[in-house]
């Protein structure tokens, strides 16, 4: 079955949105197969966002991801990669539809509270980066 990597970023954790976010994925019918809370190092954040290393906001983004606790999760279900992105909403919360996580709960792109893998390859890579196989049920 398809799996994706979802992370609640430090702003989402700090704002007390863990239960709200987990609940949206659960109510949809997706299955939680791994979860942990970690403070990633800056080096780890750079690995996670390596695709964006040429972007002007890369350094600030990695500083931010490593600035506090992150809830790292793996969710499973038919179509979960694509539909998970739909639940999350557009990258810029100003453009996310109401009803989506970012649309309902965030305002600015640099504080958009949640990450979701953007395709099957990145899902596989990100799950392997954040979790060891024994942490997945
Ligand atoms: P994520 O990978 O976090 O799920 P995404 O796939 O919607 O988000 P990406 O293009 O992968 O968007 O960008 C990764 C993250 O970089 C965004 O979630 C956002 O926090 C940050 N980001 C993207 N564009 C900008 C920007 N123009 N200015 C500042 N931060 C940005
Ligand atoms: Mg992305």
């Amino acid at each position: 079955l398809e799996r994706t990597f979802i992370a609640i970023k430090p702003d989402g954790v700090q704002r007390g949105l863990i239960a709200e976010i987990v609940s949206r994925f659960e109510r949809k019918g997706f299955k939680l197969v791994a979860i942990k809370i970690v403070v990633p190092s800056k080096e780890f954040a750079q690995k996670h966002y390596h695709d964006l290393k040429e972007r002007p906001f890369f350094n600030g983004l990695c500083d931010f991801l490593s600035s506090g606790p992150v809830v790292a999760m793996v969710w499973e279900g038919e179509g979960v990669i694509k539909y998970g992105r739909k639940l999350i909403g557009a990258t810029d919360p100003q453009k996310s539809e109401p009803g989506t996580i970012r649309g309902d709960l965030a305002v600015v792109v640099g504080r958009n509270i949640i990450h979701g893998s953007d395709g099957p390859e990145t899902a596989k890579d990100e799950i392997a980066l954040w979790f060891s196989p024994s942490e997945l049920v």
Side-chain angles (χ1 to χ4, degrees):
L1 216 47
E2 191 173 307
R3 290 179 164 188
T4 194
F5 175 71
I6 301 291
I8 305 174
K9 298 178 185 179
D11 54 336
V13 174
Q14 203 251 328
R15 289 177 53 203
L17 297 173
I18 299 170
E20 167 77 35
I21 291 169
V22 168
S23 164
R24 289 184 183 217
F25 278 82
E26 276 191 320
R27 278 154 54 208
K28 174 65 181 169
F30 294 132
K31 183 181 162 197
L32 184 60
V33 297
I35 185 166
K36 63 182 170 185
I37 188 158
V38 288
V39 181
S41 66
K42 183 156 182 191
E43 293 66 35
F44 190 91
Q46 288 166 339
K47 272 188 202 161
H48 172 75
Y49 278 128
H50 68 273
D51 282 350
L52 300 171
K53 64 174 177 291
E54 308 301 336
R55 309 295 291 273
F57 55 81
F58 179 70
N59 190 53
L61 177 62
C62 294
D63 275 337
F64 175 62
L65 192 71
S66 58
S67 69
V70 169
V71 174
M73 299 176 281
V74 179
W75 286 88
E76 182 181 271
E78 189 174 328
V80 71
I81 299 173
K82 206 166 179 187
Y83 206 90
R85 299 270 294 182
K86 213 162 169 171
L87 289 177
I88 290 170
T91 305
D92 180 354
Q94 296 290 336
K95 297 184 181 129
S96 322
E97 294 297 325
T100 66
I101 292 167
R102 287 170 177 161
D104 289 347
L105 305 170
V107 179
V108 294
V109 70
R111 296 289 184 274
N112 62 3
I113 67 175
I114 181 168
H115 162 82
S117 304
D118 61 12
E121 275 310 305
T122 47
K124 196 168 142 281
D125 292 349
E126 289 171 0
I127 291 168
L129 176 66
W130 288 79
F131 289 97
S132 60
S134 65
E135 292 176 302
L136 304 162
V137 299

